[in-house]
Amino acid sequence: MDTIEGRVALVTGGGRGIGRAIALALAREGMHVAIAARTVPEIEAVAAEVAALGRRTLFFPLDVSDRAALSRAPSVVAATLGPVDVLVNNAGMHTSGPVHRMDDASWDAVLAVNLTAPMLLCRACLPAMYERGFGRIVNVASVAGKIGIKYGAAYSASKHGLLGLTRSLALEAARKGVTVNAVCPSWTETQMLDEAVAAIAAATGRTEAEAREAILRANPLGRAALPEEVATAAVFLVKDAAVTGQAIHVDGGEVMG
Ligand SMILES: NC(=O)c1ccc[n+]([C@@H]2O[C@H](COP(=O)([O-])OP(=O)(O)OC[C@H]3O[C@@H](n4cnc5c(N)ncnc54)[C@H](OP(=O)(O)O)[C@@H]3O)[C@@H](O)[C@H]2O)c1
């Protein structure tokens, strides 16, 4: 295991949910953490939590579908904290609906945020990682990257693509000190789950409790993961230099293999 104390991380979508949990877990490991997303009060609050752990931190507004802003992000971090050693591509969005009614805009938005943005941010961070011979990239994918999701084609396609990016880049980067991995949560207790429950309830006429029960019925543990449980897997991937190209499920055994 390499020491990661004192390293600099950038976590996209770090203002809440899984991204917040990863940012705080990395800070507890001694890392300095930059947090970027669109909702400024949320990223400001998480930066305050990182600072309270005694680490240096930075928050800056970022819409990951803005290509120009993404390409500037590594230098924004470097100017305050130093070069990005650890990139966590966590920002993500979810839409649902059948393909025959999908509009172009929602397909494009999901692919832009969940797949194109991680590639662009990897591309922007990699030269400095290669130069220094150290880097860790953790992509927050999903079990939806391993299986099809009824009424979730754009999301599932984007996460399948993200795993393809992860594995291909892992091969490119392997001899350059850079590992590239993914975590694949199933349903996790965040705003995204709450929104999915509300959407299912609205579409089916079920109560939110019934919709939630239906979503989690197939899970062997019978519950959603906690953001902190996803963060534990992300920290492992950051620490271990011998693990690359992997997609680790944090899903209570919902999808195996
Ligand atoms: N919750 C689940 O059940 C679950 C399961 C599997 C995988 N995941 C994945 O986990 C990741 C985190 O999701 P979460 O569950 O923590 O959901 P969440 O609570 O809704 O958080 C999503 C984060 O992504 C950010 N984000 C969304 N669009 C963005 C954009 N255009 N630019 C910048 N940031 C953006 C949000 O910040 P702003 O809105 O402030 O920009 C927020 O910080 C996502 O990639 C998601 O696909 C979640």
Side-chain angles (χ1 to χ4, degrees):
M1 298 260 177
D2 281 359
T3 178
I4 58 170
E5 197 170 348
R7 299 275 184 189
V8 172
L10 168 59
V11 182
T12 66
R16 61 177 188 264
I18 292 170
R20 170 181 172 271
I22 293 174
L24 295 178
L26 294 176
R28 280 189 207 99
E29 294 288 332
M31 298 189 63
H32 309 299
V33 187
I35 296 136
R38 294 167 302 178
T39 310
V40 172
E42 290 185 349
I43 53 177
E44 186 172 17
V46 176
E49 292 183 274
V50 170
L53 291 165
R55 310 301 170 212
R56 292 191 293 125
T57 187
L58 165 72
F59 67 91
F60 60 101
L62 176 70
D63 181 343
V64 299
S65 58
D66 177 342
R67 286 174 174 243
L70 269 187
S71 67
R72 286 193 300 270
S75 53
V76 170
V77 179
T80 305
L81 300 182
V84 176
D85 298 302
V86 174
L87 169 62
V88 181
N89 280 309
N90 165 78
M93 64 177 289
H94 184 267
T95 58
S96 56
V99 170
H100 69 278
R101 279 199 236 121
M102 189 185 297
D103 57 84
D104 290 1
S106 63
W107 172 268
D108 289 347
V110 172
L111 271 289
V113 170
N114 293 1
L115 178 56
T116 303
M119 185 285 290
L120 293 171
L121 212 40
C122 288
R123 192 176 70 184
C125 290
L126 279 167
M129 290 179 175
Y130 287 165
E131 205 172 289
R132 287 173 296 112
F134 181 92
R136 299 283 181 267
I137 295 173
V138 178
N139 294 321
V140 180
S142 168
V143 290
K146 295 284 190 74
I147 57 171
I149 303 291
K150 192 175 182 183
Y151 306 135
Y155 186 77
S156 181
S158 71
K159 297 297 188 179
H160 274 74
L162 186 56
L163 293 187
L165 170 68
T166 300
R167 291 166 176 148
S168 302
L169 182 53
L171 295 174
E172 284 182 27
R175 301 284 176 102
K176 298 184 171 79
V178 177
T179 66
V180 189
N181 291 286
V183 288
C184 293
S186 181
W187 288 112
T188 305
E189 293 289 357
T190 70
Q191 184 173 311
M192 190 176 280
L193 172 57
D194 294 341
E195 287 169 0
V197 165
I200 290 168
T204 62
R206 296 179 191 165
T207 65
E208 292 207 354
E210 288 166 344
R212 199 182 156 82
E213 200 276 327
I215 277 183
L216 297 176
R217 195 177 298 142
N219 188 285
L221 289 187
R223 67 169 178 86
L226 302 176
E228 292 73 20
E229 292 171 325
V230 181
T232 300
V235 168
F236 163 72
L237 294 172
V238 171
K239 280 178 144 177
D240 199 316
V243 177
T244 196
Q246 302 305 308
I248 296 185
H249 294 200
V250 185
D251 68 347
E254 196 172 311
V255 176
M256 298 187 186

